[in-house]
Amino acid sequence: MNSNVSIVIPTFNRADLLSRAIETSLSQTYQCEVIVVDHGSTDHTPDIAKKFNREIKYIRRETDFGPHFCWLEGVLRSSGDFVHLQFDDDWIQETFIEACMNVMDDETGFSFSRAEVEFDDKQNNTVLFKKMPKVSGIYSVSKLEKRILKAQVISPGCCVFRRQLLIDSIYIGNLPLDKHSYHGVGPDRFMTLLPMLHYPKVGFVSEPLAIFYAHAGSITIDALSDKQKKKELGLGYKNVIRYYKELKALLKFRRFSGYYVGR
């Protein structure tokens, strides 16, 4: 599939980690546009971006309105048909985009790879999504849906999305009728669910080509170390899954009634 891909790197006060995210994005074997979106950093992030000169598109805003706005601006400023959202403390192997695009066709809403978690305090990485298929390929939503819903959250950091679906999935604030949110969780889960309502297939890469860095400054690690924060994190994701199931039921009703015209 010959389509443009953009890698969007939202960042906030992680200058010491940002270079690795940028360098691995620029080293992809598949041609990509790399966009760094800096909303309100007060450290030396602008100096890090300047080092890469014209290799990246650097977007700077002095005010931080939260992660959702940062993600959304980066995606809106992208020119690719497909977008990978690369968090500033994680990184990807050089074949990540190419492998994900190899399992993307006209009926595929998004693709993702297995991932590894690298910890500060131990040498062995933890491989995620072990219950996914052993072979890379394009799978029906019906085959992977239950595994995706039961898996650890499939982070955008190991996914490639259709640009418009990514925009549609980044909601600002809470979901309709819900009151639980935690530091941007929700849209990151919804990004992998919304495509399954629009497209019948999902692409999967069996090799762990995305690396998530577990460190003291990580929002997820911080939440898991605190009982109350962990509870709020879980409620946020639970609400997203419920919302997805409600939308799926509504879509089924619309198709049955003849109201819905689409895929």
Side-chain angles (χ1 to χ4, degrees), residues 203-241:
F204 176 67
V205 178
S206 61
E207 296 83 11
L209 299 180
I211 299 90
F212 303 149
Y213 181 36
H215 57 99
S218 167
I219 291 174
T220 303
I221 297 301
D222 174 65
L224 294 178
S225 63
D226 182 279
K227 187 176 181 179
Q228 182 58 34
K229 291 179 180 179
K230 183 177 181 180
K231 180 181 178 180
E232 292 175 8
L233 185 74
L235 285 172
Y237 286 132
K238 184 177 180 180
N239 285 336
V240 175
I241 292 176

Side-chain angles (χ1 to χ4, degrees), residues 31-43:
Q31 186 173 358
C32 300
E33 168 190 52
V34 178
I35 302 172
V36 176
V37 189
D38 173 15
H39 277 203
S41 290
T42 56
D43 60 5

Side-chain angles (χ1 to χ4, degrees), residues 1 82 99-106 108-111 138 160-162 203:
M1 174 175 284
F82 296 86
C100 285
M101 292 306 293
N102 283 339
V103 291
M104 185 81 75
D105 65 11
D106 292 338
T108 306
F110 80 104
S111 60
I138 298 174
V160 172
F161 301 98
R162 292 181 180 274

Side-chain angles (χ1 to χ4, degrees), residues 89-140:
D89 55 345
D90 301 328
W91 65 99
I92 47 178
Q93 303 290 2
E94 64 180 10
T95 58
F96 170 79
I97 296 293
E98 181 178 5
C100 285
M101 292 306 293
N102 283 339
V103 291
M104 185 81 75
D105 65 11
D106 292 338
E107 294 188 319
T108 306
F110 80 104
S111 60
F112 69 104
S113 80
R114 276 200 175 90
E116 289 184 332
V117 179
E118 180 174 294
F119 294 88
D120 268 337
D121 56 353
K122 67 178 184 179
Q123 294 181 346
N124 296 326
N125 292 358
T126 297
V127 178
L128 303 179
F129 321 133
K130 292 183 179 180
K131 293 185 179 180
M132 294 297 171
K134 295 181 179 180
V135 179
S136 298
I138 298 174
Y139 293 86
S140 66

Side-chain angles (χ1 to χ4, degrees), residues 29-30 32 34 69-70 76 92 98 118 148 151 164 231 244:
T29 56
Y30 194 103
C32 300
V34 178
F69 289 93
C70 193
L76 288 173
I92 47 178
E98 181 178 5
E118 180 174 294
I148 289 173
Q164 186 57 55
K231 180 181 178 180
Y244 166 75

